[in-house]
Amino acid sequence: MMAEATFRQPTTRKALLDERQIELVQKILGYTMLIAVAALLILPLYWMISTALKSPRQMFELPPVWVPNPLEFNNFVQVFQEVPFGRFLLNTIIIVALNILGELFAVTLVAYGFARIRFPGRSILFLLMLSTLMIPYHVTLVPRFILFAKLGWINTYLPLTVPAFTGSAFLIFLVRQYMMSIPFDLDEAAYIDGATRFGVFWRIILPLSRPALVLVVVFTFVGTWNDFLQPLIYLNDPNMFTVSLGLSFFQGARETNWNLLMAGSLLATIPPLILFFIAQRQLIGGISIEGLKG
Amino acid sequence: MNKRLLLALALLALLLPTVLVVAQDEVVTVTWWATERGRDTAATRDMHFTLARTFEESHPNIRVALSLYPSRGFATRVLTAIAANEGPDVFYHYFAPDIANQGFLEDLTPYIEASGAANNWFPSGVNRGVYEGRTYAVPRDAAAGFVAYNKDLFDAAGVAYPEEGWTIADFRALANQLTNRDADIYGVGAIVGGEGCMLWSPFSFNLGAEITSPDGRDVVGYMDTPETAAAMTWCLELVTEDQVTAPVELQDQFGELVFLSGNVAMQSISDWELAAITEQADFNWAVVAPPRFDENTEVIPWTDSYMYYMWNGSKHKDAAWQLMEWLSGPEAQRIAAEAGVWTPNGPAVYQELGWDTDPIRSVSYNQLINSERVPNYLRSQYFWDCVAGPLSDARVRWIEGGERDVAAMLAEGAVQAQACLDDNYGN
């Protein structure tokens, strides 16, 4: 036994070393691949930053200039000189905030109705709502414009914000699916304790739906922040324009101010980035939960 | 009775000035929507507001509500509003003249005839707005096509500069002489696509070819003629046989103005590109009139304009016309020219500014005063949907597929294009 044990020890150590070495190689390979893929994904962002800091001449140099010299920080100043970019940012933030508020208000209530309340015609209404997802936006462009024009809403923020308070069909569907995954036992327990229907919504369902609500916030934020067509259609006064419209001023049909466009785009990505970093954990949690239960 | 009459007269005398003042002060607001497809800068936008305010000063009863949009999506903005019966009184755009058959443009013929405004414009600017004998648009500006050349590259190669009266054969010979691919120097700029050479450059006319009929309805008998096949072959041979055109990578980098790279000896440009070249070129350059077909022909000018339109749903047509007339007239044209934003739409402002004798501007001026033809792509609103595709196919088949029977390819393309045009025009 003794001899066997002594005999085996070096073999085990060697095997362990082999395993460690293999693990190390695997790790190195894994990280190398991850770094390579990450570099590939970061490349467009880097190019945007690099172009934002180039002079017009450097933008067109061959071979391409990766690190501009000198760094043209003045491009960022020029963005604000060429268009009222600060005003555009403020306008966009106001519109985004109202949209988030509206979507959260409408989506949660409607989704709760579809998910938790049994009423005649619920399935038909839900299908009807879902079918609106199939209508391309451009089909309704003119009728919507006529409606808002008749209401006297053109050149105001109302067409860009009020519809959010009726809820987006896609987001309602998303939140409804999430709410359906919450056990009904919780509602029943709350009812037994004397909670009203709104109380169950407010105290039980809404807090438990937080990951889905984070998605609502993120989707609404990104969608509204990047929206080009609606502000273009409904706004006349350049002082009321949004960031996406403002950036388009740098992009003519025959000529584009690439350095200013990139500098402006870089500035425009900062608020969404801040939102992402704040909501990162819940956002990823929300996506994974949606993936599992949705 | 007399007392009553006197009282009534006294009251009338008191009220009359008030009524007159109200009538005089009745101010109408005209909406003007604009965009800038080229150099969209704070300066160009400010210039628009300067125009609006200057107009208001001389027309106290008309206010101008100016809205400026980015060029991307401008047509969607205008057409959506028109479809919803909320269109602008005046707007400018780049439609083909037969957009008039869509029914939303005001026929400006009576206004133009009454005012004689057309006498101030270059001939192509007048023709550019005519559809079936009626005028639906007035020129915002006027741009001519010509050739820019890099004097440093000519000097380095010891080659004489091109001069007015040169021919397309001279152009080709110079392009070959100046090309040095090892040194990354190319004779010709952005006409690499073949069909580009045939479309948006003075070569299109001076190669002796047409692609569509003057009314834009027919391509059979134009796109498939031996002259057009020869012209297309000439353009494509610059790319594949002579290999004197700037490579795609360089064109991708610089876009339309590959001339700015400093690696291109000659490029067909227009007035719309002059400002960028003036500001950004860090080499010596000059411009020359486009080459003519041969020694026995005259150069055919290639010119273009953006156009002002009036929506026929406008509630203030007379006021809208006053704005259009003023914008296309000498005062506004001078303001825009002095701001370096647009080139004037008529000879008077050119002469007033001395541009008719300027070494650069006079090249353009000499083209514009003789301009008659409207570019092929501006003859039909369905051009890009119906004609440009088959034309581009011939280029792809030549360059990528190695096919060389241009006549057959264009004949095939003309049939396709004609069927598409007929379908759209309901023939």
Side-chain angles (χ1 to χ4, degrees), chain A residues 56-64 81-84 138 141-142 145-146 149-150 154 228-229 231-238 241 244-246 248-258, chain B residues 33 36-43 45 49 66-74 76-77 79-81 83-86 184 249-250 253-254 256-257 260-262 272-273 276 280 282-283 306:
Chain A
R57 182 69 204 169
Q58 285 178 321
M59 287 188 301
F60 299 130
E61 265 180 32
L62 268 181
Q81 286 169 344
E82 283 292 326
V83 293
H138 292 83
L141 194 64
V142 173
F145 190 95
I146 293 171
K150 298 274 180 214
I154 301 300
F228 173 79
L229 190 61
L232 174 79
I233 297 296
Y234 298 123
L235 300 176
N236 296 341
D237 182 354
F241 283 2
S244 58
L245 278 181
S248 293
F249 278 118
F250 299 121
Q251 200 176 6
R254 289 193 319 274
E255 222 177 291
T256 300
N257 281 320
W258 287 109
Chain B
W33 290 3
E36 180 52 53
R37 283 165 57 95
R39 298 168 64 75
D40 196 344
T41 62
R45 291 190 288 277
F49 284 101
L66 168 64
S67 295
L68 291 171
Y69 298 94
S71 63
R72 180 181 153 215
F74 180 67
T76 310
R77 176 70 182 97
L79 297 177
T80 305
N85 205 31
E86 293 283 335
D184 208 22
E249 308 84 66
L250 202 61
Q253 205 184 354
F254 286 88
E256 286 182 24
L257 269 180
L260 282 175
S261 67
W272 289 328
E273 284 85 46
Q280 293 174 39
D282 54 2
F283 49 83
Y306 282 89

Side-chain angles (χ1 to χ4, degrees), chain B residues 85-106:
Chain B
N85 205 31
E86 293 283 335
D89 296 305
V90 177
F91 62 102
Y92 63 67
H93 202 49
Y94 196 61
F95 292 128
D98 65 348
I99 190 73
N101 69 15
Q102 302 285 308
F104 60 81
L105 294 179
E106 180 69 13

Side-chain angles (χ1 to χ4, degrees), chain B residues 185-196:
Chain B
I185 302 296
Y186 307 93
V188 184
I191 56 169
V192 71
E195 82 271 20

Side-chain angles (χ1 to χ4, degrees), chain A residues 110-137:
Chain A
V110 178
Y112 177 68
F114 280 128
R116 310 304 266 199
I117 303 169
R118 295 185 186 279
F119 55 91
R122 182 175 74 158
S123 302
I124 293 168
L125 271 179
F126 186 65
L127 277 174
L128 200 66
M129 185 205 72
L130 280 186
S131 65
T132 62
L133 285 173
M134 311 299 163
I135 304 169
Y137 177 78

Side-chain angles (χ1 to χ4, degrees), chain B residues 91-92 118 140 210 213 266-267 290 296 325 327 341 368 371 421 424:
Chain B
F91 62 102
Y92 63 67
R140 183 200 75 170
E210 286 281 13
S213 57
M266 296 181 287
Q267 180 170 340
N296 303 317
E325 186 184 14
L327 286 170
V341 180
L368 287 162
S371 62
L421 287 177
N424 279 296

Side-chain angles (χ1 to χ4, degrees), chain A residues 16-75:
Chain A
L16 275 172
L17 278 173
D18 284 347
E19 270 177 31
R20 277 181 194 161
Q21 281 173 340
I22 289 166
E23 203 178 321
L24 187 69
V25 171
Q26 278 178 338
K27 269 188 178 172
I28 290 169
L29 279 174
Y31 278 115
T32 310
M33 274 183 65
L34 283 174
I35 289 167
V37 172
L40 203 67
L41 293 175
I42 287 172
L43 196 65
L45 183 68
Y46 177 77
W47 189 252
M48 181 168 83
I49 297 167
S50 164
T51 308
L53 293 167
K54 284 178 186 172
S55 65
R57 182 69 204 169
Q58 285 178 321
M59 287 188 301
F60 299 130
E61 265 180 32
L62 268 181
V65 176
W66 288 94
V67 182
N69 184 23
L71 295 169
E72 291 281 349
F73 287 103
N74 191 45
N75 287 343

